[in-house]
Amino acid sequence: MTSPQTAPDAAIPIAAAETRNGVFAALGAYVLWGFLPILFGLLSNVGSVMIVAERTLWSLLLLAIILGVMGKLGEVLTLLTDWRKSGVLLLSAALLACNWLLFVWAVETGQVLEVSFGYFINPLVNVAIGMVMLGERQNRMQAIAILIAVIAIAIQAAGLGGVPFIALGLALSFGFYGFFRKTAALGPAAGLFAETLLIAPFALAYVAYDLAHNGIGVHADPQTMLLLVFSGPATAVPLLLFAYAIRRLRLTTIGMFQYLAPSLQFLVAIIVFHEHLNGVRLASFALIWVSLAVFSYDSFRRRARG
């Protein structure tokens, strides 16, 4: 039996390992998300609603296999019969579906730069949610970082000639999704399976409707069908990594890593999709990078002092 004196010391390596694993999971999730627009660009002939429906169903199948092998399908039933957690699951599932649809539609319509901008905003949205909803305190430098981001959003709006609805929609939907996943204390695989299970009836109904009215359509092409099947693991794996990380790291810590995905999406938009970046929009991105640099510097400085 471990003595009371040694128990706290023994707990320190365990906590450090949990944090380290959370960091690796977050890095993996954001790198995979960074390259995700390429997959949906290859599926641009399918249509955004069909892509979201297909990725929901293939994700559900993959998660069912994972949970079945792990013997944890019973956890899903427990989650769905807990009225409080099932209510949170409905909210998170709705936010997830909205985020998926907006993301795919933006790629389909050639607006990957705005997707990138939205996910650059997201770390600071996480900070704001942490402050308002979880009582996480931020200091003056972090407040300055948020102010710079607000200015960047205004400049982005000027460059677009209107409010950057895609960027704001992606940032807010995923920021609140992360908040609900963190506060609900749901298991990564079971929680995600329950969410996709709640979305699945709508997805299945849409696929059935499309098949009834348009025939086999895009499903007749083997390459397209293979990409649609691959959208399952491409969706589930980073979300599982994210769900794992969000339970082990503070929202503000998660925010520090999230610049990886939009940085990769920024490069994909310019190099792969050849989107045009005018001077005004470049200035907005530059301000966001400054904002993230200020926030990250302050976070590392506080960690070094602690």
Side-chain angles (χ1 to χ4, degrees):
M1 180 180 294
T2 304
S3 67
Q5 287 78 15
T6 59
D9 292 334
I12 291 173
I14 295 173
E18 286 287 288
T19 300
R20 184 180 64 249
N21 291 340
V23 167
F24 285 130
L27 286 172
Y30 292 129
V31 168
L32 290 171
W33 277 322
F35 290 107
L36 198 55
I38 296 175
L39 172 62
F40 296 136
L42 293 172
L43 289 167
S44 58
N45 63 310
V46 176
S48 54
V49 179
M50 179 61 78
I51 292 173
V52 171
E54 291 278 353
R55 74 187 290 199
T56 299
L57 296 174
W58 290 115
S59 298
L60 184 67
L61 177 61
L62 176 62
L63 290 165
I65 293 171
I66 292 172
L67 288 172
V69 170
M70 295 172 64
K72 292 187 175 182
L73 281 172
E75 286 186 23
V76 179
L77 182 62
T78 302
L79 289 175
L80 294 175
T81 53
D82 183 327
W83 68 269
R84 191 184 70 83
K85 288 188 176 181
S86 61
V88 173
L89 280 168
L90 281 171
L91 284 172
S92 62
L95 288 166
L96 191 61
C98 290
N99 184 271
W100 285 358
L101 187 58
L102 189 56
F103 185 103
V104 175
W105 180 79
V107 174
E108 183 182 19
T109 55
Q111 301 182 78
V112 179
L113 275 174
E114 194 170 343
V115 169
S116 171
F117 189 78
Y119 285 112
F120 272 123
I121 297 171
N122 196 212
L124 300 167
V125 169
N126 287 339
V127 173
I129 292 173
M131 290 171 61
V132 175
M133 307 296 288
L134 299 177
E136 296 180 355
R137 291 191 173 188
Q138 312 305 323
N139 59 26
R140 183 178 299 176
M141 287 192 70
Q142 291 170 336
I144 291 171
I146 294 173
L147 178 60
I148 294 172
V150 171
I151 296 171
I153 293 170
I155 293 174
Q156 180 82 183
L160 290 170
V163 178
F165 287 113
I166 293 173
L168 291 173
L170 288 170
L172 290 169
S173 61
F174 199 71
F176 277 103
Y177 172 75
F179 166 74
F180 286 119
R181 288 299 257 121
K182 184 176 180 67
T183 55
L186 305 173
L192 182 57
F193 180 81
E195 288 166 346
T196 52
L197 188 62
L198 290 170
I199 303 171
F202 302 98
L204 190 60
Y206 181 82
V207 173
Y209 174 84
D210 187 79
L211 288 172
H213 286 77
N214 302 315
I216 195 168
V218 294
H219 300 88
D221 179 41
Q223 182 177 342
T224 300
M225 196 64 224
L226 181 63
L227 290 172
L228 287 172
V229 172
F230 182 68
S231 71
T235 297
V237 170
L239 275 169
L240 284 172
L241 290 172
F242 175 77
Y244 179 90
I246 201 73
R247 294 184 62 194
R248 288 159 177 81
L249 303 172
R250 295 178 69 217
L251 280 176
T252 47
T253 305
I254 285 286
M256 290 171 58
F257 294 104
Q258 193 147 352
Y259 68 88
L260 286 174
S263 295
L264 291 170
Q265 291 162 359
F266 179 85
L267 294 174
V268 166
I270 294 173
I271 296 171
V272 179
F273 294 107
H274 307 292
E275 291 189 24
H276 175 64
L277 181 66
N278 61 35
V280 176
R281 295 189 73 185
L282 180 58
S284 70
F285 275 101
L287 277 178
I288 281 293
W289 294 328
V290 169
S291 172
L292 290 172
V294 170
F295 177 74
S296 298
Y297 167 75
D298 182 70
S299 297
F300 281 121
R301 185 185 64 173
R302 286 194 300 157
R303 180 171 294 181
R305 287 180 178 176

